[in-house]
Each structure stands twice: as C-alpha cells, then as structure tokens.
Amino acid sequence: MDAQTSLEHAATGITDERVVEVRGLRKAFGSNVVLDGFDLDLRRGENLMVLGKSGSGKSVLIKCIMRLLQADAGTIRVLGQDVLTLDQEALDRLRVRIGFLFQSSALYDSMTVEENLEFPLRRHWITRDPKQTDALVDEVLNAVGLPQTRRMYPSELSGGMKRRIGLARTLILKPEVVLYDEPTTGLDPITGKEIVELILKLQRAYNTSSIIISHDLNVAKLAANRIIVLHEGRNHVEGSYADLRASNDPVVRSFFIFM
Amino acid sequence: MVRGTAAKVTSVLRDAGELMAFAGRFFQQAFHKRFEWREFFRQCYINGTLTLPLVGITAFIMGLVLTVQSRPTLERFGAASMLPAMVAISVVREIAPVITAIIGAGKIGSSMGAELGSMKVTEQIDAMEVSGTNPFRYLVVTRVWSTTLMIPVLMVISDAIAIWATWIGVNIKDDVSWGLFYRQVFESLEFSDFLPALIKSYFFGFAIGIVGCYRGYGTEKGTEGVGQAAHSAVVTASLLIFILDLMAVQVTDILGLN
Ligand SMILES: Nc1ncnc2c1ncn2[C@@H]1O[C@H](COP(=O)(O)OP(=O)(O)OP(=O)(O)O)[C@@H](O)[C@H]1O
Ligand SMILES: [Mg+2]
C-alpha cells in the first residue's frame, strides 16, 4: 500500500486487519459454474463493493460467505474463523457478528415490524428481557428513521421502508461486518441515495466493515472505498471509483452505459 | 408419445422419491430437543380455525343429504328404522375422515405451499437461518406436527356434526326423539368402526402437512413458483389421501376389522 492510500485510510478509520478473506472460491450448480476462483479481502472499517451484472453470482458470493450456500472449493475466513469447517453452534455464534441485508429485505410477513426486529435477539439468545428488547428496538427504529412503523406489518410498508426495516433488523445485533445484497435495487434513485446515506451513517455510528454487492454505480460512487468487478466467476478488475471511471476495459465500460 | 410418457413417469417417480427424502428429514428432526412450541401452537390454532367452519358446514350437509337420499332405498327393503345406524356408520368409517382430509388438503395444504413458497423466494427462510434458527425445525416440523394432530380432532368434530345432521334428516319425515336416535346409532356403532378411521386420519393429517411443506419449501423460480407450489400441494395431498384410504381399507380387511 502506498503512502497516499495509507493516509486516506487512516483518515477514514480503515486498518490493515482483514475481517473477511476469501481465497479461490468456487461454486457451481450442476454444470453452471458461477464462481471460479474468486478472491476477496475486506479490511476493518472498509466499504468494499463487488460490482457485477445480473446473474454474475454476486448473491451466491455473499451467501457462501454466510454459509447459506456451501462452497465447492476455496477458503473463507471471517473474523479469523474458517467458515467452511465450523460446526452449527460456532457458525451461529459467528453469524451474530455478521449482518446480512437481503436483496428482497426478507421481512417476515406474518410478524409486525417489532416482532421482526425482536426475532434475531430472541433466537440468538442475546436478550429476552422485555425492557432491554424494547430499548434495542427503539434504538434501531430511530436510527433508520421509522419509529412510527413499530406495530405495522411488512405488507403495509413501501419498498424503501422495508429496506430500512431490513437494515434495522440487520443492525440490531450490532454486527462487526455487514453484507449488503443490492441495497438500492428496485428503489427509485432518490430513495436509493437515502438508503446509501443511511448505510454510511450507520456504518460510522456502529463502526462496521461492509461488503456491498451491487450493479448500481451510484452506490459505488457514494459509498465504496474500493471496488472489485466480478466477471465470469473471477476478479476482473479492482480499484477505486475513479480508477474504474478512467478504465478502458470493455467489461468495466459496460457499467457506465447510463452515466 | 411413448418417450413423453416415460419422461412423465420418471419425473413423477423422482418427485415421489424426493418427497420420501423430505419426510425422512422430518423424522430426523421431529423429536429434536429444541422444539418450537410457540410456533407449533400457533400453527395448531391457525390450521384448526382455518378449516373448522368449512369442515363443520360440509359435515352437516353430508349427514343431512346422505340421510335424505338413503331413506327411499331402505324403505323399499322395509328397513327405514336402520337409517340412523347406516348413515352413522358410513359417516364415522369413511365420510368424515375423507371429507375432513380433503378439505384440509385444499385449505391447509394450499396455504402452506403458498406461505412457505413465498418465504422461500423472498429469502425469509435464509433470513431465519442467519438469525440462529433452524428453518426446517421452525417451519416444517411444527407445521407437519400440527396437521398430524389437528386433522383427527377436526374429524371427530365433523363426526359429531354429521351425526347431529343425520338426526335432523331423519326427523324431516319421521318423528324420532334424540334419545331414541342416540340409542339406535350407538347400539350399532362399534369402537372398531371408529378406531381405524381415527388412525387413518393421523396419516391423512401427516400427508397434508408433509406435502404442503415439501411443495412450499422446494419452491424455485420466483413468484410464479409460489402459485405452482400451492396448486401442486393440493393436488398431491388429495391424491395421497385417496391412496392412503385405499391402503387403510386393505389393512383393516386383513386385520378383520371390516
Ligand atoms: N439455489 C440455486 N440453485 C441453482 N442455481 C442458482 C441458485 N442460486 C443462484 N443460482 C444461479 O447462479 C447464478 C448467479 O446467481 P446470483 O443470484 O448470484 O446472481 P446475482 O449476481 O446476484 O444477480 P442479480 O443482480 O440479478 O441478483 C445464476 O445463473 C443463477 O441461476
Ligand atoms: Mg442477487
């Protein structure tokens, strides 16, 4: 790392400690090879973005990191632990420290917003004390700016509101690492920008490191410290937003079509 | 044509195999010490109340119609006094268990297929996994247990309603007191009429739950898959109920209970 970037990182609170390390990740569904030797490093405090077109395997990548999908080959270390070999109990303990914002928000339809937020607390045995639960729910609802939705059902919320509640549910466990699966997809640009700003605000407040998966260059521009382009299952290019902007690579250019 | 049929048969057999594997997974988890009691009771309540009105109305109509329609035949043989007993026996042995199960397949099976299907495609099942919850135990085990235990309860209720409707049916033409009717019914009705019906209704309940969950849990291909899951849950569960019914009659025959 050169002196310039070191300085930048010091200013943004990025350290050299690696919180996520992926090496040679391979995942295929039958004959459909989705990831074929993908590498990734996430440093503490960093916002790493993985850019890839639809169907390139972005969701598959972070689901492998969370072990929602079993990788075929390679190694994945998160917060110093080898994800692929953990037993169920250790995996659950690790998952408390990793937040996951789902592409579709994934709020439980049969539960109110409040119950949605309490669910991870109760299930991970963080707390069952009603007062403490209440306080935590209040805190995250205020953090995402939706305290009035507490008793509502997900079906009564707009897409942007669902995304915010999804974010609140992710943050209620105070994760050290957060994986965002297309946080702005399906939202209008204004709401999308609000979500990105919220992510950045919460990131500072909760001091998280994140991997943001997207094909949205606005996210790249606003939030990413570093960008990896995922193409044909591998790391295609890596760099800052300015680097990609200046690139002549046809794959990279194709993301700038509308810019 | 032949190849098409062969392909269909293969896919049906594969489907059956996968359903068996799914049931196997259920039994592996069914007695796990971390049982989701809260969700189980919620499912019992939902599945019970969802189906009870329809089961009740159908049982009432079945009892009434069967009585009215059987009367002319029995009268021709001068056996009109057999009416209560005859209807009660067919209700207890066959009508109530099968009607309850078919309605259960339609109501519970389809709603489970749709609910779990949409949970799958909107990643709610993954979200549970991330929240330290085994989604199979939380969603599938509780639902299958609840239908297995609730369908027999519903069947007993529909027995009672259909027999009461029979009394009303008898009284359209005759004047039979409840006391007399009651004696006529329960003198001919034996425990060996009731027991096989009760046992098979547990199997029916299990079939509804396992098929509904299997279809929902295995949903792919986004939102259109959800409708498909609901639909095929009803079709498969109904078919399975009739197959089980056929097997049950063979078994009771062999055991000499017919
Ligand atoms: N559970 C699965 N079973 C089979 N194939 C899958 C599964 N999940 C993903 N795939 C396949 O993996 C490939 C990558 O899917 P993925 O969901 O990771 O794409 P993505 O990059 O997230 O796209 P999008 O931007 O549309 O969300 C696709 O070809 C998809 O068909
Ligand atoms: Mg995706």
Side-chain angles (χ1 to χ4, degrees):
Chain A
M1 199 182 297
D2 56 57
Q4 173 76 43
T5 50
S6 273
L7 265 180
E8 265 174 38
H9 287 175
T12 48
I14 299 172
T15 70
D16 270 345
E17 182 196 350
R18 279 160 174 63
V19 285
V20 180
E21 256 186 277
V22 176
R23 289 285 171 275
L25 179 62
R26 195 191 132 89
K27 176 72 189 173
F29 298 98
S31 60
N32 176 14
V33 181
V34 178
L35 294 172
D36 191 12
F38 188 80
D39 298 330
L40 172 157
D41 278 304
L42 175 69
R43 299 188 192 89
R44 192 174 284 282
E46 188 181 29
N47 275 337
L48 172 68
M49 175 160 174
V50 179
L51 190 66
K53 65 178 199 292
S54 186
S56 56
K58 303 185 298 296
S59 298
V60 170
L61 168 67
I62 51 173
K63 284 188 176 163
C64 284
I65 294 176
M66 204 59 170
R67 215 170 94 186
L68 287 167
L69 289 171
Q70 192 70 42
D72 299 338
T75 56
I76 301 172
R77 297 183 70 79
V78 179
L79 298 165
Q81 303 197 49
D82 186 351
V83 172
L84 299 181
T85 56
L86 290 177
D87 61 32
Q88 188 62 44
E89 216 171 293
L91 181 63
D92 279 341
R93 252 179 288 133
L94 179 62
R95 279 172 173 168
V96 177
R97 303 167 68 193
I98 316 174
F100 197 120
L101 182 69
F102 286 90
Q103 191 165 349
S104 46
S105 303
L107 301 180
Y108 307 121
D109 295 322
S110 59
M111 302 182 197
T112 62
V113 166
E114 181 174 25
E115 289 164 337
N116 262 285
L117 298 176
E118 285 172 357
F119 192 84
L121 291 178
R122 280 197 290 110
R123 308 303 303 195
H124 277 307
W125 300 92
I126 307 289
T127 173
R128 299 220 164 189
D129 169 33
K131 266 219 192 89
Q132 214 175 339
T133 313
D134 243 25
L136 282 167
V137 169
D138 267 342
E139 183 193 326
V140 287
L141 276 179
N142 285 323
V144 300
L146 291 173
Q148 74 280 13
T149 59
R150 203 178 172 119
R151 312 239 174 277
M152 290 175 150
Y153 282 91
S155 57
E156 301 169 83
L157 305 176
S158 73
M161 289 160 102
K162 278 187 197 159
R163 212 59 65 90
R164 280 167 189 261
I165 300 296
L167 199 52
R169 191 177 64 184
T170 307
L171 291 169
I172 202 162
L173 294 172
K174 309 243 157 63
E176 293 163 59
V177 178
V178 185
L179 312 176
Y180 296 95
D181 194 352
E182 310 211 7
T184 61
T185 302
L187 303 176
D188 62 82
I190 300 164
T191 317
K193 184 154 180 268
E194 281 172 12
I195 295 284
V196 174
E197 281 163 357
L198 185 60
I199 288 174
L200 289 172
K201 187 186 106 187
L202 295 172
Q203 168 140 43
R204 280 191 293 272
Y206 290 82
N207 192 26
T208 57
S209 324
S210 28
I211 299 178
I212 306 173
I213 302 289
S214 188
H215 51 229
D216 183 350
L217 284 165
N218 290 314
V219 179
K221 195 169 160 186
L222 291 170
N225 301 116
R226 192 158 56 94
I227 301 165
I228 297 177
V229 175
L230 167 61
H231 181 65
E232 293 185 337
R234 295 164 194 268
N235 309 50
H236 189 71
V237 193
E238 189 172 326
S240 66
Y241 178 77
D243 296 341
L244 296 194
R245 180 91 244 211
S247 165
N248 286 320
D249 185 286
V251 176
V252 177
R253 296 275 8 122
S254 66
F255 287 101
F256 285 90
I257 284 176
F258 294 113
M259 298 296 273
Chain B
M1 175 66 196
V2 174
R3 188 168 304 153
T5 319
K8 253 221 168 92
V9 171
T10 323
S11 93
V12 167
L13 288 179
R14 183 176 314 124
D15 203 31
E18 276 167 16
L19 178 59
M20 302 273 250
F22 191 81
R25 199 170 154 200
F26 167 79
F27 284 112
Q28 267 173 20
Q29 301 281 343
F31 305 98
H32 195 278
K33 60 182 189 305
R34 273 184 76 175
F35 188 76
E36 307 282 355
W37 287 104
R38 220 173 115 145
E39 178 67 7
F40 167 72
F41 286 123
R42 198 175 78 91
Q43 285 304 318
C44 286
Y45 174 76
I46 291 174
N47 294 331
T49 50
L50 195 70
T51 337
L52 185 59
L54 206 55
V55 163
I57 293 169
T58 317
F60 182 83
I61 294 173
M62 279 294 157
L64 197 68
V65 169
L66 214 59
T67 312
V68 173
Q69 288 193 337
S70 306
R71 179 189 291 282
T73 320
L74 286 181
E75 271 175 350
R76 220 179 306 146
F77 296 106
S81 64
M82 295 284 289
L83 192 55
M86 198 210 81
V87 175
I89 288 176
S90 31
V91 162
V92 168
R93 292 189 77 130
E94 182 66 10
I95 310 277
V98 172
I99 291 287
T100 308
I102 291 296
I103 291 173
K107 279 292 246 187
I108 303 172
S110 66
S111 81
M112 268 182 194
E115 188 194 10
L116 295 192
S118 71
M119 289 186 80
K120 178 80 185 284
V121 302
T122 59
E123 301 176 302
Q124 291 176 50
I125 291 181
D126 281 342
M128 276 192 174
E129 174 110 43
V130 169
S131 294
T133 301
N134 180 322
F136 193 89
R137 279 207 293 275
Y138 190 88
L139 298 170
V140 176
V141 170
T142 54
R143 278 166 176 72
V144 177
W145 270 124
S146 87
T147 54
T148 308
L149 298 175
M150 288 314 282
I151 291 291
V153 172
L154 289 165
M155 183 206 78
V156 171
I157 296 174
S158 72
D159 274 344
I161 294 176
I163 289 177
W164 175 60
T166 306
W167 178 60
I168 294 175
V170 169
N171 273 293
I172 292 175
K173 287 252 172 87
D174 275 338
D175 188 13
V176 180
S177 74
W178 173 251
L180 179 61
F181 173 81
Y182 188 89
R183 236 175 301 124
Q184 281 176 337
V185 167
F186 282 91
E187 261 163 26
S188 57
L189 210 54
E190 288 181 27
F191 193 64
S192 64
D193 293 315
F194 176 71
L195 190 64
L198 184 69
I199 292 172
K200 76 181 173 189
S201 76
Y202 283 100
F203 282 90
F204 292 165
F206 176 76
I208 292 166
I210 203 83
V211 170
C213 290
Y214 167 67
R215 291 297 188 206
Y217 214 73
T219 304
E220 259 152 36
K221 290 185 293 193
T223 29
E224 65 179 308
V226 176
Q228 242 169 39
H231 172 246
S232 64
V234 178
V235 174
T236 312
S238 310
L239 192 67
L240 205 56
I241 285 164
F242 286 115
I243 293 172
L244 286 170
D245 197 35
L246 202 61
M247 283 160 62
V249 79
Q250 297 295 326
V251 172
T252 46
D253 208 27
I254 290 166
L255 295 178
L257 288 170
N258 275 349

